[in-house]
Amino acid sequence: MMDNILSIIIFLPLFMAIFLGLIRAEITLLKIGAMFSSIATLFLVAWTAFYFDPEGGMQFVENAPWIKNSGMSYFVGVDYLSLVILLLISLLMPPLYIYMYHENRKGYWYNMMLLQTGVTGAVLSLDLVLFYLFWETMLLPIFVMIGKYGNGLHQYNSMKIILMTILGSMSMLFSIMYIGYVYFNTVGTWSFALIDLSTLTFNAQTSIWLTAGFLLAFAIKIPLVGFHTWMAPAYGSSPTPAVVIMSAIMAKLGIYGIWRFGFGLFETTLVYYAPTIITLALIGLLYYAIRAITEDNLRKMFAYSSGSHLSLIALGLFLTNIYAWSGSLYLIAAHAFASAGIFIMIGLMYKRFKTVQISALGGIASKAPKFTFFFAFFALSIAGLPGTGGFVAELLIIIGAFKANFWIGVLTATTMLSAMLYIFWMLQRTLFGISNNDAHYEDLSIREIIMLLPLVILLLATGIMPSLFTPIFEPQLNASLQEIIRVIGDLK
């Protein structure tokens, strides 16, 4: 099992979907199969994490020729960075399937299993063409879920997200093909393996353009301000499982792409782009917060909130000091759990009240106390509630920002303040006051509480006991950072 455990983790959901499709499984069997594949994958990922060596670099590597003459290979592995996101994916899928318990449209379940394979494969790929393949694979189910199962202008929004994502993907593909071509001219053989391509050097102008090809794809996926026009409409018209995946996992893959391939291939050129990315991130922190304050739709409000926190993660990544890097990696996890929780709660709210407009809600606290507790907890966790992982992560990034530059630190610190402002303003209107809705105020069921409790526990555990988690990634994180700092020092 140790030799091919990553392949099993990647393809188990896909093979389960294919098998269930071939036997034309009824919806009950389809639900059981999807849940089984997610739980089995979770156990395999837990096994991988248990045997993961924090000092060991890239581990559980599988490398086999795929298309020999073209240098493309099936090359996967896991290190501290991919392990964090791999854990997120495996931990979030079972609660999502529990949320979907009453969903009887088969396409929902098939698309979710395909989506899990796509995002997992992208995180574990160490061959750039393989990464691109999985990057595109995870787009197709989202396109179908928004276009077929969404609401409002869902078909328009599904086309918008796919066109913008394809624009970024094509720019990244051009960069990948050109780098492979340069490697062939330099060495005499084709290869798209990251470990091989990282040995190449380019002149400054070429490197700037190649880096831009990758950055465009990742900036749209995050999304950084200026590349975000698809975000709020897509979140507003998507079914809840798709929103959770986009916010908690897919957006993080934009950060992961910069971390893995940006710093893996073009660390010197990223120094050139760093002021631009830092500026966009700082603008995003404030712009998204202002849009969140003025937004009446809960899904769109938390879409802008996610944009603000993803900008904070990107900012920490480009500040290149240990506090900022540790905070960014920690916030990837903490924000994933919190955003998954709040979007699931918004989905449960829509099922009860048939609206997610803040102005149409109110008085929930007096009639549904359990619902109120979980909704308020996840909302405040987004804002960095002390005792949750988000507080620890944001504090580390703010310390790293002050270490880099006093004024950057001041602007970064406004994230917590602005988040508290729009979160408390929303909670006051949504949970308290006079009810604006005649719907039945049904409190959370036992099934729904069981679905939400793991997310609450994870947020509290990462906030109260961060020392349980940081040893997993700190040694390799420090080693990676020192290499980047050395490169930056050589440029100076």
Side-chain angles (χ1 to χ4, degrees):
M1 181 180 289
M2 183 176 292
D3 292 337
N4 59 2
I5 188 169
L6 296 187
S7 291
I8 298 173
I9 290 170
I10 293 170
F11 293 108
L12 179 60
L14 175 62
F15 289 158
M16 179 62 73
I18 293 172
F19 171 74
L20 292 170
L22 289 174
I23 66 172
R24 299 180 180 274
E26 294 298 322
I27 187 63
T28 301
L29 182 58
L30 184 58
K31 293 177 182 180
I32 293 171
M35 180 60 77
F36 171 79
S37 71
S38 70
I39 293 174
T41 301
L42 176 57
F43 276 107
L44 291 171
V45 172
W47 187 92
T48 304
F50 182 79
Y51 286 100
F52 181 80
D53 179 7
E55 306 277 357
M58 195 64 66
Q59 297 164 56
F60 302 98
V61 172
E62 301 173 38
N63 191 0
W66 178 23
I67 307 176
K68 287 185 178 181
N69 293 334
S70 65
M72 301 176 191
S73 61
Y74 176 76
F75 188 11
V76 296
V78 63
D79 65 353
Y80 73 98
L81 181 56
S82 47
L83 180 63
V84 169
I85 303 180
L86 184 62
L87 284 166
L88 296 182
I89 297 167
S90 62
L91 287 166
L92 291 177
M93 293 308 296
L96 272 181
Y97 285 143
I98 296 174
Y99 173 84
M100 293 165 53
Y101 177 76
H102 293 296
E103 178 54 62
N104 291 321
R105 289 173 289 186
K106 291 185 178 181
Y108 249 78
W109 297 88
Y110 285 119
N111 277 288
M112 288 298 288
M113 286 185 276
L114 176 59
L115 190 55
Q116 184 172 0
T117 287
V119 294
T120 304
V123 166
L124 297 176
S125 295
L126 299 175
D127 179 278
L128 270 69
V129 174
L130 186 67
F131 171 77
Y132 179 81
L133 173 66
F134 283 117
W135 182 268
E136 292 300 291
T137 299
M138 68 185 180
L139 176 62
L140 179 61
I142 288 293
F143 172 72
V144 173
M145 291 189 74
I146 299 175
K148 188 173 183 179
Y149 304 116
N151 56 76
L153 297 175
H154 57 101
Q155 293 183 339
Y156 171 81
N157 291 328
S158 67
M159 284 303 301
K160 185 172 185 178
I161 188 174
I162 198 170
L163 289 174
M164 289 192 68
T165 305
I166 286 176
L167 171 64
S169 297
M170 292 304 296
S171 71
M172 179 170 65
L173 180 62
F174 173 81
S175 292
I176 291 171
M177 291 295 106
Y178 186 84
I179 297 168
Y181 172 74
V182 171
Y183 185 85
F184 173 77
N185 282 342
T186 304
V187 179
T189 58
W190 288 96
S191 176
F192 292 94
L194 179 61
I195 193 172
D196 292 333
L197 301 184
S198 62
T199 62
L200 296 175
T201 57
F202 302 94
N203 64 60
Q205 193 64 33
T206 301
S207 185
I208 286 171
W209 282 106
L210 291 175
T211 308
F214 282 92
L215 285 179
L216 179 60
F218 301 143
I220 292 171
K221 188 71 73 178
I222 292 173
L224 290 175
V225 69
F227 304 91
H228 69 285
T229 55
W230 64 268
M231 179 181 64
Y235 280 45
S237 60
S238 298
T240 296
V243 176
V244 172
I245 294 294
M246 284 192 292
S247 175
I249 297 173
M250 289 180 65
K252 309 302 187 298
L253 291 181
I255 301 290
Y256 170 83
I258 296 175
W259 216 323
R260 169 73 69 215
F261 300 104
F263 284 106
L265 294 170
F266 307 110
E267 60 266 74
T268 56
T269 310
L270 284 182
V271 175
Y272 170 86
Y273 279 106
T276 302
I277 302 296
I278 290 172
T279 301
L280 288 175
L282 289 171
I283 293 172
L285 292 178
L286 302 175
Y287 170 77
Y288 290 136
I290 293 170
R291 290 300 304 267
I293 292 170
T294 60
E295 183 57 61
D296 190 55
N297 182 293
L298 278 172
R299 280 186 178 173
K300 292 183 179 180
M301 192 204 86
F302 280 103
Y304 288 120
S305 173
S306 291
S308 180
H309 286 84
L310 288 161
S311 297
L312 182 62
I313 297 171
L315 174 67
L317 179 57
F318 278 86
L319 293 176
T320 57
N321 62 62
I322 188 59
Y323 299 106
W325 268 37
S326 296
S328 289
L329 187 56
Y330 214 69
L331 190 54
I332 284 175
H335 182 264
F337 298 137
S339 64
I342 196 62
F343 280 116
I344 287 174
M345 292 303 300
I346 293 171
L348 295 175
M349 181 178 286
Y350 183 80
K351 288 180 179 180
R352 285 161 168 77
F353 308 124
K354 304 306 177 187
T355 183
V356 291
Q357 298 299 127
I358 297 173
S359 57
L361 297 166
I364 298 175
S366 61
K367 299 180 180 180
K370 292 192 286 283
F371 185 96
T372 298
F373 168 78
F374 281 96
F375 185 85
F377 177 82
F378 289 122
L380 292 171
S381 297
I382 291 279
L385 177 70
T388 63
F391 176 79
V392 175
E394 290 183 30
L395 193 60
L396 284 170
I397 296 176
I398 290 170
I399 293 171
F402 273 106
K403 188 175 187 299
N405 179 277
F406 174 79
W407 292 112
I408 291 178
V410 170
L411 291 172
T412 304
T414 63
T415 305
M416 279 190 171
L417 300 175
S418 60
M420 285 294 180
L421 176 62
Y422 60 74
I423 292 295
F424 277 114
W425 175 232
M426 178 275 299
L427 290 176
Q428 191 275 329
R429 292 179 292 163
T430 303
L431 301 180
F432 305 103
I434 300 173
S435 173
N436 296 316
N437 194 298
D438 295 328
H440 176 58
Y441 281 72
E442 177 188 355
D443 213 342
L444 293 179
S445 66
I446 296 298
R447 176 183 65 86
E448 290 167 340
I449 292 174
I450 291 172
M451 167 184 68
L452 295 167
L453 272 178
L455 299 176
V456 173
I457 293 169
L458 286 165
L459 282 166
L460 291 174
T462 52
I464 297 171
M465 299 174 289
S467 58
L468 288 179
F469 306 97
T470 51
I472 297 174
F473 61 80
E474 273 191 346
Q476 291 187 36
L477 186 72
N478 265 308
S480 299
L481 180 61
Q482 291 306 313
E483 175 62 22
I484 299 301
I485 291 174
R486 183 192 62 78
V487 171
I488 294 174
D490 290 346
L491 288 178
K492 293 179 179 178

